[in-house]
Amino acid sequence: MASSQPVKPPLATQASQAQRGSQPGLRYPSNGKTIYHRPLNRSRTQELSQSSFAYLFGEMVSYAQKRVTGIQDLEKRLNVQGHPIGLKLLDLLLYREPPRTQTRPLHIIALLQFITTILWRHLFSRPADALEKSSNPDTPEEYMISDNEPLVNQYISVPKEMNQLNCAAFVAGIVEGVCDGAGFPARVTAHSVGKGEEGELWPGKTVFLVKFEPEVVEREAYLGRS
Amino acid sequence: MVVFALIIINKAGGLIYQRDFAEGLNKLSINDYLVLAGTFHGVHAITTRLNPLHQHNLPPSTSDVRPDPPSGIEVLETENFRLQCFSTLTGTKFLLFTEPQQPNVDKIVGRIYELYSDYVMKNPFYQLEMPVRCESFDRKLVQYVRPLNSR
Amino acid sequence: MVVYSFYIFDRHTECIYSRLWARQPDRPISSGPPPSRPISTSSTSSAPITLAPTNELNPPRRSTRLSAQDDAKLIFGTIFSLRNMVRKLGGPEDSFISYRTGQYKLHYYETPTSIKFVMLTDTQTLNMRNVLHQIYVNLYVEFVVKNPLSPVEHPGGEGVANELFELALDQFVKGVL
């Protein structure tokens, strides 16, 4: 009897404290709905300010620029920064597809169509402008995705002495991550084809060159489609 | 309704951008423009001090509204052109040379400041207070001013 | 339309006449004198006499404000630089008319003999070029140039601040504005 007295109040206080949620630790909102109750696709139409992204991306480029010695190295750094994003995006985007099409793409064309429509729409709210297969017989495994005005390059003007740099190497890294994650190892690079002259419609036009590894091409041929 | 030229001066009084859009002002060498920018920067500072309305009764410290600090030249008028000087909170000055009767100069200067903050400030290759060499800034500026001049 | 001050500079870059109309809108220690009491200074020997009474009326003012002579020098420097800038940009025929800041407006008129008339007013005033021209034609030429007793050049402002000129200027400014 005497021992049960001191036992009760601590239990009672603990329960009430958990209900109130004022203990240090996990806190619950008053209506009981946590982040797990929110629908998963809620963030689909939310917008982010383009200025915040532009400043962040500018800092990424300056950060990389301080630590490298050449343009190729800078592009490689941006590529490496985009790669993990691509890996994670692949799972998310496949999950968000309606169940009928929720399958991993098995052929190169399916993968590239997934990239140019679903991925581009998720990143830039518009599909990519063109998808082409390389017509050069020496390099049958090269495909080209072109974008007339990459969003990440909108506020960036590259100085004349660094003419070959294209900061869309970051987006190339994302695409490379998606390809690698889907089982199609590839190397993706960004090339600017807009000359920036007066009167040119798309001075910032960029082409992403997707070059698949030889084993992918072999597998493709084996599966009967090329 | 012609906009003749735009000059941007940095915090220290150095010329960082100069561009002509239409005929109407004499063409000067780049040295002359540098000297002009420095002179104007100094004159702007002096005109702040020439204020004849010195307020000596200080407002009580509990008031929320501080009196505006004296500002320098905002508009300079001559027979052939008018110079509008927009001074930002960061010390950068935008000098716009227009016709004397140009309407809506405030809107034009506001838009140019917007273009500057977008295409120059967000460029990772631009060093602060250095001359502005951003291709997209040039392109957008010309795209904006040309229809104004040809109207 | 309020006029704050008026200056005349000659072609030897000297200030030969200056006139300030002191504004006292909300002074807690205003001790009686009418609001727009003119304090005219010209660097003649009468300068100490005119400055003394103002000192006893506005003691806090003089210590922090620039003296009137420094003001005149700064104004001259400013208009000289701006005039050269305008000549360079607009051609040798162009002439600078006025400039405006957030607090005041400065009007400028130069005669063919390189005499410069400068007037500071509030920001709402429109073009004062004609007014300055009138002052030159009707007041300066009449009372200073045509005065047989005043010297041809006015070093140190000698001969400009004669009574007729000052009275007429006062009347003109108060009447027209």
Side-chain angles (χ1 to χ4, degrees), chain A residues 53-63 156, chain B residues 122-125:
Chain A
F53 175 73
Y55 284 119
L56 180 66
F57 189 65
E59 263 317 296
M60 278 165 60
V61 174
S62 325
Y63 179 86
I156 298 182
Chain B
K122 291 179 188 166
N123 189 8
F125 298 106

Side-chain angles (χ1 to χ4, degrees), chain C residues 41-59:
Chain C
T41 62
S42 43
S43 343
T44 64
S45 54
S46 60
I49 305 175
T50 49
L51 276 179
T54 63
N55 263 336
E56 46 187 52
L57 285 174
N58 323 327

Side-chain angles (χ1 to χ4, degrees), chain A residues 30-101:
Chain A
S30 46
N31 58 356
K33 294 234 178 259
T34 62
I35 194 169
Y36 304 109
H37 292 106
R38 292 209 296 228
L40 203 54
N41 282 341
R42 184 173 170 274
S43 54
R44 173 167 281 187
T45 49
Q46 266 185 357
E47 288 172 352
L48 172 69
S49 119
Q50 192 176 8
S51 305
S52 338
F53 175 73
Y55 284 119
L56 180 66
F57 189 65
E59 263 317 296
M60 278 165 60
V61 174
S62 325
Y63 179 86
Q65 200 179 10
K66 285 195 188 77
R67 284 162 175 74
V68 301
T69 48
I71 294 182
Q72 307 303 88
D73 226 353
L74 180 55
E75 288 204 348
K76 187 164 177 301
R77 278 215 173 217
L78 290 173
N79 197 312
V80 160
Q81 278 179 322
H83 194 270
I85 300 181
L87 287 175
K88 296 173 197 165
L89 266 185
L90 179 65
D91 278 321
L92 177 67
L93 292 178
L94 280 178
Y95 171 79
R96 282 186 179 170
E97 286 288 294
R100 241 179 328 110
T101 46

Side-chain angles (χ1 to χ4, degrees), chain B residues 6-56:
Chain B
L6 170 72
I7 288 184
I8 306 184
I9 302 180
N10 68 6
K11 265 195 280 239
L15 179 77
I16 58 176
Y17 186 73
Q18 187 275 327
R19 176 121 189 182
D20 290 316
F21 300 112
E23 300 296 316
L25 292 183
N26 285 352
K27 294 256 182 302
L28 304 175
S29 72
I30 187 69
N31 260 343
D32 284 335
Y33 281 120
L34 284 167
V35 167
L36 203 123
T39 315
F40 189 81
H41 182 85
V43 165
H44 184 93
I46 293 179
T47 54
T48 313
R49 298 279 307 228
L50 284 177
N51 186 10
L53 301 176
H54 243 275
Q55 310 270 4
H56 278 270

Side-chain angles (χ1 to χ4, degrees), chain B residues 31-145:
Chain B
N31 260 343
D32 284 335
Y33 281 120
L34 284 167
V35 167
L36 203 123
T39 315
F40 189 81
H41 182 85
V43 165
H44 184 93
I46 293 179
T47 54
T48 313
R49 298 279 307 228
L50 284 177
N51 186 10
L53 301 176
H54 243 275
Q55 310 270 4
H56 278 270
N57 43 345
L58 301 167
S61 51
T62 52
S63 74
D64 298 327
V65 180
R66 266 192 302 177
D68 287 327
S71 70
I73 293 194
E74 287 173 14
V75 183
L76 178 86
E77 292 216 17
T78 79
E79 279 175 20
N80 293 343
F81 68 88
R82 185 213 276 178
L83 163 66
Q84 191 99 356
C85 167
F86 174 63
S87 180
T88 70
L89 291 169
T90 52
T92 316
K93 298 191 207 1
F94 289 81
L95 306 184
L96 194 68
F97 294 86
T98 68
E99 264 190 352
Q101 288 87 29
Q102 176 89 10
N104 289 342
V105 187
D106 287 337
K107 200 159 66 75
I108 299 178
V109 169
R111 180 87 182 109
I112 291 181
Y113 187 38
E114 209 184 297
L115 289 176
Y116 172 81
S117 69
D118 274 342
Y119 293 97
V120 175
M121 287 290 136
K122 291 179 188 166
N123 189 8
F125 298 106
Y126 171 68
Q127 289 163 315
L128 288 172
E129 313 297 322
M130 288 284 123
V132 172
R133 300 253 173 277
C134 301
E135 200 194 304
S136 39
F137 179 59
D138 279 326
R139 218 180 326 126
K140 290 279 167 175
L141 203 58
V142 168
Q143 249 178 12
Y144 174 63
V145 173

Side-chain angles (χ1 to χ4, degrees), chain C residues 54-83:
Chain C
T54 63
N55 263 336
E56 46 187 52
L57 285 174
N58 323 327
R61 267 193 120 169
R62 287 292 168 214
S63 52
T64 49
R65 237 199 120 170
L66 296 172
S67 78
Q69 281 149 342
D70 286 344
D71 250 356
K73 287 189 195 135
L74 279 180
I75 289 182
F76 184 78
T78 308
I79 61 172
F80 188 74
S81 312
L82 285 176
R83 177 173 150 279

